[in-house]
Each structure stands twice: as structure tokens, then as C-alpha cells.
Amino acid sequence: MDYVYVWVDGVHFNVRLGDDDRLCVLVMVGVRTDGTKELVAMADGYRESTESWAELLRDAKRRGMRAPVLAVGDGALGFWAAVRDVFPKTRWQRDWVHKVANVLNALPASVQVAAHRSMREIWDAEDRDHAGQALDRFAHDFSKWPKAVSKLTGDREALLAFYHYPAEHWIHLRTSNPIESTFAPVRARTDLTKGPGSREAGLAMCFKLIEAAEGRWRRLNAPELVALVRAGAKFVNGRLVERTEQEDAA
């Protein structure tokens, strides 16, 4: 199994499971070298648990999965410690949607609109240098709230990792939207479930619904560039600057 990019998230559902906590499904969606997306793995687990994610990753590796080039997800996940152990060469990209929400929650309502606008200047910057400058401006302008600022500055490299890949892919790599958008109707469906059930039944229902949604996923923009990323081609600020021997041989 060869997935160049993966998105990961732990998704909670309001399925009643007797005395158990509500169902949490660990999800990994990947992009093949032809730019198509597909469900890689899904398992019952705990969102913040490193061991839950490590078990999912180890199982994928046993089934032949190569190390992804880039993984995209929320910084609160136990996934990051797990992927460091199972696929240590995989680069990290923090999900901007989750990050923005976390930063805004640490700010007073009176400055949240201005803060959101300032953060947009970071992820919408034309290149990494300008993004870094925008991040520094945010840190200066909102220095009165160090907790909010540290949520950005502490994840600086992981927030800007997408600049190392094709510009056509940036819109896909800044967030874990493929999971968020896909599971919105699944959440709606599980919210309607009546009565207690088992985790196995809840997981099976989620799998069937995602399997149906999978056919509607579209390929990445510029899908031909995904294979170049896997081949090790170097991109700087979204532009191809170096071809590898492996790519030339192809």
C-alpha cells in the first residue's frame, strides 16, 4: 500500500453504547500516487491515545503500507507520538482549522475577528518566508495573550510544512477536511441511532457509510505531481526545483 499523503483524525459519534463512552473512531485517509483518495484504516480507539494509533499504524505497516511522505492532523492527537515510532521519516502538518479554533479559544472575543484575519495571512501567504513573517506579526500584535501566541509559535514548523510540496496541493494539505467533510453526514446518521448498541455495530455502520462516500471523493489538484513527491522531487515554496535519479529513471 502506497499513500503519499495521509489525513488522520479521531471522530466521536453520539451512538449510545450502553454503559460505555460514546464511540470514537480513528480514521486515516490516504492519497495514492495517482492522486486518488481512499480510506486506509478505521478502528475503534481513543483519540488522544498513542497506543491506539500505534496499533492502527502497525497493522497498516504489516499489511504492506509504506511510510507516508506527509501526515496531516490535529496536534492533540496521540497519533504524532505513534507515527514517530512506526514511520519516523513521515513529516507532520498541523491542521489549520483545528489550530485556528484552539488559538481563538485562548483569546477574548473582542480580538477574535482581528486574530482570525491575521492568521489567514499566514496560511494564505505566497511562500514560506512571507508566512513566517506573518506569523511573527501575529506574535507581536497579540503578545498580550502569550498562551494564544504559543499555540502558533510552538508548532511553527508543522504549521508551515505544506510549503515543501506542490502549490497545487496546498489547499488539500492545510487541513484534514477530507475526513471532516466526509464524516459530517455520518455524524448526522449516527445521531439518529436509537437505543444502546455495541461498538462493533457502531464501527460497522460507520465503515459502510464511509465506503459509500468514498466513491464521491475527487482526486487532488494536479494529480500527476503526487508521484513526483513520492519519488523524492524537491519543491520549494510550491515549485519543483530538483529532480531525483529515481524520477529521471522513471
Side-chain angles (χ1 to χ4, degrees), residues 1-239:
M1 300 189 293
D2 190 5
Y3 300 101
V4 181
Y5 305 130
V6 295
W7 297 276
V8 295
D9 204 355
V11 186
H12 290 281
F13 300 100
N14 293 326
V15 181
R16 291 178 56 193
L17 298 170
D19 295 331
D20 290 334
D21 295 332
R22 60 185 180 143
L23 178 68
C24 179
V25 178
L26 308 183
V27 183
M28 181 161 58
V29 172
V31 176
R32 288 191 172 276
T33 54
D34 64 356
T36 57
K37 303 171 191 169
E38 66 181 36
L39 179 66
V40 179
M42 184 163 62
D44 179 21
Y46 296 94
R47 192 173 188 275
E48 290 77 24
S49 167
T50 295
E51 185 52 39
S52 290
W53 282 106
E55 184 177 342
L56 181 147
L57 289 172
R58 286 193 292 263
D59 179 67
K61 189 174 183 178
R62 283 193 296 269
R63 290 186 286 121
M65 180 176 171
R66 294 179 63 185
V69 174
L70 181 74
V72 184
D74 176 15
L77 297 174
F79 172 84
W80 303 110
V83 77
R84 185 188 299 119
D85 178 55
V86 181
F87 293 123
K89 293 184 178 180
T90 297
R91 179 176 263 161
W92 305 357
Q93 168 65 48
R94 290 287 189 263
D95 180 317
W96 268 100
V97 171
H98 285 92
K99 179 60 69 175
V100 167
N102 291 337
V103 172
L104 293 180
N105 284 339
L107 291 169
S110 59
V111 301
Q112 287 183 2
V113 172
H116 190 278
R117 186 183 307 116
S118 182
M119 283 187 283
R120 177 178 288 278
E121 292 179 359
I122 304 172
W123 77 74
D124 271 351
E126 63 184 287
D127 56 42
R128 195 181 186 283
D129 287 343
H130 284 89
Q133 293 167 20
L135 197 156
D136 291 339
R137 283 196 302 273
F138 179 96
H140 175 269
D141 294 345
F142 296 90
S143 58
K144 184 178 178 180
W145 300 278
K147 183 179 178 180
V149 169
S150 67
K151 290 178 182 294
L152 283 185
T153 57
D155 269 343
R156 186 186 191 100
E157 293 304 315
L159 285 167
L160 304 181
F162 68 89
Y163 283 105
H164 294 287
Y165 302 97
E168 293 87 346
H169 296 172
W170 291 355
I171 191 172
H172 305 289
L173 302 179
R174 290 189 293 242
T175 76
S176 53
N177 183 62
I179 294 177
E180 293 285 342
S181 60
T182 297
F183 271 91
V186 180
R187 284 196 183 96
R189 172 65 181 86
T190 55
D191 284 346
L192 299 176
T193 301
K194 303 297 183 181
S198 69
R199 289 187 176 277
E200 292 77 12
L203 191 62
M205 179 179 63
C206 290
F207 177 78
K208 289 294 185 183
L209 290 168
I210 288 302
E211 191 176 43
E214 195 173 22
R216 298 191 294 272
W217 289 342
R218 68 180 184 85
R219 292 204 296 172
L220 261 64
N221 297 337
E224 69 279 1
L225 297 179
V226 179
L228 297 187
V229 173
R230 169 55 83 190
K234 183 178 180 181
F235 291 82
V236 174
N237 292 321
R239 296 182 179 277

